[in-house]
CSV table of all heavy atoms in Angstrom, one decimal:
chain,number,residue,atom,x,y,z
A,70,THR,N,-34.3,34.7,41.1
A,70,THR,CA,-35.0,35.8,40.2
A,70,THR,C,-34.9,37.1,40.9
A,70,THR,O,-34.6,38.1,40.3
A,70,THR,CB,-36.4,35.4,39.9
A,70,THR,OG1,-36.4,34.1,39.3
A,70,THR,CG2,-37.0,36.4,39.0
A,71,GLN,N,-35.3,37.1,42.2
A,71,GLN,CA,-35.3,38.4,43.0
A,71,GLN,C,-33.9,39.0,43.1
A,71,GLN,O,-33.7,40.2,43.0
A,71,GLN,CB,-35.9,38.2,44.4
A,71,GLN,CG,-37.4,37.9,44.4
A,71,GLN,CD,-37.9,37.6,45.7
A,71,GLN,OE1,-37.2,37.4,46.7
A,71,GLN,NE2,-39.2,37.6,45.8
A,72,SER,N,-32.9,38.2,43.4
A,72,SER,CA,-31.5,38.7,43.5
A,72,SER,C,-31.0,39.2,42.1
A,72,SER,O,-30.3,40.2,42.1
A,72,SER,CB,-30.6,37.6,44.0
A,72,SER,OG,-30.6,36.5,43.0
A,73,SER,N,-31.4,38.6,41.0
A,73,SER,CA,-31.0,39.1,39.7
A,73,SER,C,-31.7,40.5,39.4
A,73,SER,O,-31.0,41.4,38.9
A,73,SER,CB,-31.4,38.1,38.6
A,73,SER,OG,-31.2,38.6,37.4
A,74,ASP,N,-32.9,40.7,39.8
A,74,ASP,CA,-33.6,41.9,39.6
A,74,ASP,C,-33.0,43.0,40.4
A,74,ASP,O,-32.8,44.1,40.0
A,74,ASP,CB,-35.1,41.8,39.9
A,74,ASP,CG,-35.8,40.9,38.9
A,74,ASP,OD1,-35.2,40.7,37.8
A,74,ASP,OD2,-36.9,40.4,39.2
A,75,THR,N,-32.7,42.7,41.7
A,75,THR,CA,-32.1,43.7,42.6
A,75,THR,C,-30.7,44.1,42.1
A,75,THR,O,-30.4,45.3,42.1
A,75,THR,CB,-32.0,43.1,44.0
A,75,THR,OG1,-33.2,42.7,44.4
A,75,THR,CG2,-31.4,44.2,44.9
A,76,ALA,N,-29.9,43.2,41.6
A,76,ALA,CA,-28.6,43.5,41.1
A,76,ALA,C,-28.7,44.5,39.9
A,76,ALA,O,-27.9,45.4,39.7
A,76,ALA,CB,-27.8,42.3,40.8
A,77,SER,N,-29.6,44.1,39.0
A,77,SER,CA,-29.7,45.0,37.8
A,77,SER,C,-30.2,46.4,38.1
A,77,SER,O,-29.7,47.3,37.5
A,77,SER,CB,-30.7,44.3,36.8
A,77,SER,OG,-32.1,44.3,37.4
A,78,VAL,N,-31.0,46.6,39.1
A,78,VAL,CA,-31.4,47.9,39.5
A,78,VAL,C,-30.3,48.7,40.2
A,78,VAL,O,-30.1,49.9,40.0
A,78,VAL,CB,-32.7,47.8,40.4
A,78,VAL,CG1,-33.0,49.2,40.9
A,78,VAL,CG2,-33.9,47.3,39.6
A,79,ALA,N,-29.6,47.9,41.0
A,79,ALA,CA,-28.5,48.6,41.7
A,79,ALA,C,-27.4,49.0,40.8
A,79,ALA,O,-26.6,49.9,41.1
A,79,ALA,CB,-27.9,47.5,42.8
A,80,ASP,N,-27.3,48.3,39.6
A,80,ASP,CA,-26.2,48.7,38.6
A,80,ASP,C,-26.5,50.0,37.9
A,80,ASP,O,-25.7,50.5,37.1
A,80,ASP,CB,-26.0,47.6,37.7
A,80,ASP,CG,-25.3,46.4,38.4
A,80,ASP,OD1,-24.7,46.6,39.5
A,80,ASP,OD2,-25.4,45.3,37.9
A,81,TRP,N,-27.8,50.5,38.0
A,81,TRP,CA,-28.1,51.7,37.2
A,81,TRP,C,-27.3,52.9,37.7
A,81,TRP,O,-27.0,53.0,38.9
A,81,TRP,CB,-29.6,52.0,37.4
A,81,TRP,CG,-30.5,51.1,36.8
A,81,TRP,CD1,-30.2,50.0,36.0
A,81,TRP,CD2,-32.0,51.1,36.8
A,81,TRP,NE1,-31.3,49.3,35.5
A,81,TRP,CE2,-32.4,50.0,36.0
A,81,TRP,CE3,-32.9,51.9,37.4
A,81,TRP,CZ2,-33.8,49.7,35.9
A,81,TRP,CZ3,-34.2,51.6,37.3
A,81,TRP,CH2,-34.7,50.5,36.5
A,82,PRO,N,-26.9,53.8,36.8
A,82,PRO,CA,-26.2,55.0,37.2
A,82,PRO,C,-27.1,55.9,38.2
A,82,PRO,O,-28.3,55.9,38.0
A,82,PRO,CB,-25.9,55.8,35.9
A,82,PRO,CG,-26.1,54.7,34.9
A,82,PRO,CD,-27.1,53.7,35.4
A,83,GLN,N,-26.4,56.5,39.1
A,83,GLN,CA,-27.2,57.3,40.1
A,83,GLN,C,-27.9,58.4,39.4
A,83,GLN,O,-29.0,58.8,39.8
A,83,GLN,CB,-26.2,57.9,41.1
A,83,GLN,CG,-25.5,56.8,42.0
A,83,GLN,CD,-26.6,56.0,42.8
A,83,GLN,OE1,-27.5,56.6,43.3
A,83,GLN,NE2,-26.4,54.8,43.0
A,84,GLU,N,-27.3,59.0,38.4
A,84,GLU,CA,-28.0,60.2,37.7
A,84,GLU,C,-29.3,59.7,37.0
A,84,GLU,O,-30.3,60.4,37.0
A,84,GLU,CB,-27.0,60.7,36.6
A,84,GLU,CG,-27.5,62.0,36.0
A,84,GLU,CD,-27.7,63.1,37.0
A,84,GLU,OE1,-27.0,63.1,38.0
A,84,GLU,OE2,-28.5,64.0,36.7
A,85,GLU,N,-29.2,58.5,36.4
A,85,GLU,CA,-30.4,57.9,35.8
A,85,GLU,C,-31.6,57.7,36.8
A,85,GLU,O,-32.7,57.9,36.6
A,85,GLU,CB,-30.1,56.6,35.1
A,85,GLU,CG,-31.2,56.1,34.2
A,85,GLU,CD,-31.5,57.0,33.0
A,85,GLU,OE1,-30.6,57.8,32.6
A,85,GLU,OE2,-32.7,57.0,32.5
A,86,ASN,N,-31.1,57.2,38.0
A,86,ASN,CA,-32.1,57.0,39.1
A,86,ASN,C,-32.8,58.3,39.5
A,86,ASN,O,-34.0,58.4,39.7
A,86,ASN,CB,-31.5,56.4,40.3
A,86,ASN,CG,-31.1,54.9,40.1
A,86,ASN,OD1,-31.6,54.3,39.2
A,86,ASN,ND2,-30.1,54.4,40.9
A,87,LYS,N,-32.0,59.4,39.5
A,87,LYS,CA,-32.5,60.7,39.9
A,87,LYS,C,-33.6,61.2,38.9
A,87,LYS,O,-34.6,61.7,39.2
A,87,LYS,CB,-31.4,61.7,40.0
A,87,LYS,CG,-30.5,61.5,41.2
A,87,LYS,CD,-29.4,62.5,41.3
A,87,LYS,CE,-28.5,62.3,42.5
A,87,LYS,NZ,-27.4,63.3,42.5
A,88,LYS,N,-33.2,61.0,37.6
A,88,LYS,CA,-34.2,61.4,36.5
A,88,LYS,C,-35.5,60.6,36.6
A,88,LYS,O,-36.5,61.2,36.4
A,88,LYS,CB,-33.5,61.2,35.1
A,88,LYS,CG,-32.3,62.1,34.9
A,88,LYS,CD,-31.7,61.8,33.5
A,88,LYS,CE,-30.6,62.8,33.2
A,88,LYS,NZ,-30.0,62.5,31.9
A,89,THR,N,-35.4,59.3,36.9
A,89,THR,CA,-36.5,58.5,37.0
A,89,THR,C,-37.4,58.9,38.2
A,89,THR,O,-38.6,59.0,38.1
A,89,THR,CB,-36.1,57.0,37.2
A,89,THR,OG1,-35.3,56.6,36.1
A,89,THR,CG2,-37.4,56.1,37.2
A,90,ASP,N,-36.8,59.3,39.3
A,90,ASP,CA,-37.5,59.7,40.5
A,90,ASP,C,-38.2,61.0,40.2
A,90,ASP,O,-39.4,61.2,40.6
A,90,ASP,CB,-36.6,59.9,41.7
A,90,ASP,CG,-36.0,58.6,42.2
A,90,ASP,OD1,-36.6,57.5,41.8
A,90,ASP,OD2,-34.9,58.6,42.9
A,91,ASN,N,-37.6,61.9,39.5
A,91,ASN,CA,-38.2,63.2,39.1
A,91,ASN,C,-39.4,63.0,38.2
A,91,ASN,O,-40.4,63.7,38.4
A,91,ASN,CB,-37.2,64.1,38.5
A,91,ASN,CG,-36.1,64.6,39.4
A,91,ASN,OD1,-36.3,64.6,40.6
A,91,ASN,ND2,-35.0,65.0,38.9
A,92,ARG,N,-39.3,62.1,37.3
A,92,ARG,CA,-40.4,61.9,36.4
A,92,ARG,C,-41.6,61.2,37.1
A,92,ARG,O,-42.7,61.6,36.9
A,92,ARG,CB,-40.0,61.0,35.2
A,92,ARG,CG,-39.0,61.6,34.3
A,92,ARG,CD,-38.4,60.7,33.4
A,92,ARG,NE,-37.3,61.3,32.6
A,92,ARG,CZ,-36.4,60.6,31.9
A,92,ARG,NH1,-36.5,59.2,31.9
A,92,ARG,NH2,-35.5,61.2,31.2
A,93,GLN,N,-41.2,60.3,38.1
A,93,GLN,CA,-42.3,59.7,38.9
A,93,GLN,C,-43.0,60.7,39.8
A,93,GLN,O,-44.2,60.6,40.0
A,93,GLN,CB,-41.7,58.6,39.7
A,93,GLN,CG,-41.2,57.4,38.9
A,93,GLN,CD,-40.5,56.3,39.7
A,93,GLN,OE1,-40.2,56.5,40.9
A,93,GLN,NE2,-40.3,55.2,39.0
A,94,LYS,N,-42.3,61.7,40.3
A,94,LYS,CA,-42.9,62.7,41.1
A,94,LYS,C,-43.7,63.7,40.3
A,94,LYS,O,-44.4,64.5,40.9
A,94,LYS,CB,-41.8,63.4,41.9
A,94,LYS,CG,-41.1,62.5,43.0
A,94,LYS,CD,-40.0,63.3,43.7
A,94,LYS,CE,-39.3,62.4,44.7
A,94,LYS,NZ,-38.1,63.1,45.3
A,95,GLY,N,-43.6,63.7,39.0
A,95,GLY,CA,-44.4,64.6,38.2
A,95,GLY,C,-43.8,66.0,38.2
A,95,GLY,O,-44.6,67.0,37.9
A,96,GLN,N,-42.5,66.2,38.4
A,96,GLN,CA,-42.0,67.6,38.4
A,96,GLN,C,-41.9,68.1,37.0
A,96,GLN,O,-41.5,67.3,36.1
A,96,GLN,CB,-40.6,67.6,39.1
A,96,GLN,CG,-40.6,67.2,40.5
A,96,GLN,CD,-39.2,67.3,41.1
A,96,GLN,OE1,-38.3,67.6,40.4
A,96,GLN,NE2,-39.1,67.1,42.4
A,97,PRO,N,-42.3,69.3,36.7
A,97,PRO,CA,-42.3,69.8,35.3
A,97,PRO,C,-40.9,70.1,34.9
A,97,PRO,O,-40.0,70.4,35.7
A,97,PRO,CB,-43.1,71.1,35.4
A,97,PRO,CG,-42.9,71.6,36.9
A,97,PRO,CD,-42.9,70.3,37.7
A,98,LEU,N,-40.6,70.0,33.6
A,98,LEU,CA,-39.3,70.3,33.0
A,98,LEU,C,-39.2,71.8,32.9
A,98,LEU,O,-40.2,72.5,32.6
A,98,LEU,CB,-39.2,69.6,31.6
A,98,LEU,CG,-39.2,68.1,31.6
A,98,LEU,CD1,-39.1,67.6,30.2
A,98,LEU,CD2,-38.0,67.6,32.5
A,99,THR,N,-38.0,72.3,33.1
A,99,THR,CA,-37.7,73.8,32.9
A,99,THR,C,-36.9,74.0,31.7
A,99,THR,O,-35.9,73.3,31.4
A,99,THR,CB,-37.0,74.3,34.2
A,99,THR,OG1,-35.8,73.6,34.3
A,99,THR,CG2,-37.9,74.2,35.4
A,100,ARG,N,-37.2,75.1,31.0
A,100,ARG,CA,-36.4,75.4,29.8
A,100,ARG,C,-35.1,76.0,30.2
A,100,ARG,O,-35.1,77.0,31.0
A,100,ARG,CB,-37.2,76.4,29.0
A,100,ARG,CG,-36.6,76.8,27.6
A,100,ARG,CD,-37.5,77.8,26.9
A,100,ARG,NE,-36.8,78.1,25.6
A,100,ARG,CZ,-37.5,78.9,24.7
A,100,ARG,NH1,-38.7,79.4,24.9
A,100,ARG,NH2,-36.8,79.2,23.6
A,101,PRO,N,-34.0,75.5,29.6
A,101,PRO,CA,-32.7,76.1,30.0
A,101,PRO,C,-32.5,77.5,29.4
A,101,PRO,O,-33.0,77.8,28.3
A,101,PRO,CB,-31.7,75.2,29.2
A,101,PRO,CG,-32.5,74.5,28.2
A,101,PRO,CD,-33.9,74.4,28.7
A,102,GLU,N,-31.8,78.4,30.2
A,102,GLU,CA,-31.6,79.7,29.7
A,102,GLU,C,-30.6,79.8,28.6
A,102,GLU,O,-29.6,79.1,28.6
A,102,GLU,CB,-31.1,80.6,30.9
A,102,GLU,CG,-32.2,80.7,32.0
A,102,GLU,CD,-31.7,81.6,33.1
A,102,GLU,OE1,-30.5,82.1,33.0
A,102,GLU,OE2,-32.4,81.8,34.1
A,103,ALA,N,-30.8,80.7,27.7
A,103,ALA,CA,-29.9,80.8,26.5
A,103,ALA,C,-28.6,81.5,27.1
A,103,ALA,O,-28.6,82.4,27.9
A,103,ALA,CB,-30.5,81.8,25.5
A,104,PRO,N,-27.4,81.0,26.7
A,104,PRO,CA,-26.1,81.5,27.2
A,104,PRO,C,-25.9,82.9,26.6
A,104,PRO,O,-26.3,83.2,25.5
A,104,PRO,CB,-25.1,80.6,26.6
A,104,PRO,CG,-25.8,79.9,25.4
A,104,PRO,CD,-27.2,79.8,25.8
A,105,GLN,N,-25.3,83.8,27.4
A,105,GLN,CA,-25.0,85.1,27.0
A,105,GLN,C,-23.7,85.2,26.2
A,105,GLN,O,-22.8,84.4,26.4
A,105,GLN,CB,-25.0,86.1,28.2
A,105,GLN,CG,-26.2,86.1,29.0
A,105,GLN,CD,-27.4,86.7,28.2
A,105,GLN,OE1,-27.2,87.7,27.4
A,105,GLN,NE2,-28.5,86.2,28.4
A,106,LEU,N,-23.6,86.2,25.3
A,106,LEU,CA,-22.4,86.4,24.5
A,106,LEU,C,-21.6,87.5,25.1
A,106,LEU,O,-22.1,88.3,25.9
A,106,LEU,CB,-22.7,86.8,23.1
A,106,LEU,CG,-23.5,85.8,22.2
A,106,LEU,CD1,-23.8,86.4,20.9
A,106,LEU,CD2,-22.7,84.5,22.1
A,107,ASN,N,-20.3,87.5,24.9
A,107,ASN,CA,-19.5,88.6,25.4
A,107,ASN,C,-19.9,90.0,24.7
A,107,ASN,O,-20.1,90.0,23.5
A,107,ASN,CB,-18.0,88.3,25.1
A,107,ASN,CG,-17.5,87.2,26.0
A,107,ASN,OD1,-17.9,87.0,27.2
A,107,ASN,ND2,-16.5,86.4,25.5
A,108,SER,N,-19.8,91.0,25.5
A,108,SER,CA,-20.1,92.3,24.9
A,108,SER,C,-18.8,93.0,24.4
A,108,SER,O,-17.8,93.1,25.1
A,108,SER,CB,-20.8,93.2,26.0
A,108,SER,OG,-21.0,94.5,25.5
A,109,LEU,N,-18.9,93.4,23.1
A,109,LEU,CA,-17.7,94.0,22.5
A,109,LEU,C,-18.1,95.5,22.1
A,109,LEU,O,-19.1,95.7,21.5
A,109,LEU,CB,-17.2,93.3,21.3
A,109,LEU,CG,-16.5,92.0,21.5
A,109,LEU,CD1,-16.1,91.4,20.2
A,109,LEU,CD2,-15.2,92.2,22.4
A,110,LEU,N,-17.1,96.4,22.3
A,110,LEU,CA,-17.3,97.7,21.8
A,110,LEU,C,-16.9,97.8,20.3
A,110,LEU,O,-16.1,96.9,19.9
A,110,LEU,CB,-16.5,98.7,22.6
A,110,LEU,CG,-16.9,98.9,24.1
A,110,LEU,CD1,-15.9,99.8,24.8
A,110,LEU,CD2,-18.3,99.4,24.2
Side-chain angles (χ1 to χ4, degrees):
T70 304
Q71 290 178 348
S72 63
S73 176
D74 294 341
T75 303
S77 62
V78 173
D80 291 338
W81 290 357
Q83 294 298 322
E84 188 64 27
E85 189 65 26
N86 289 340
K87 291 179 181 179
K88 293 180 179 178
T89 303
D90 292 343
N91 290 338
R92 293 168 187 167
Q93 291 175 350
K94 293 178 182 178
Q96 295 182 359
L98 297 176
T99 58
R100 183 176 181 179
E102 295 182 0
Q105 299 295 321
L106 299 177
N107 290 327
S108 178
L109 283 182
L110 297 174

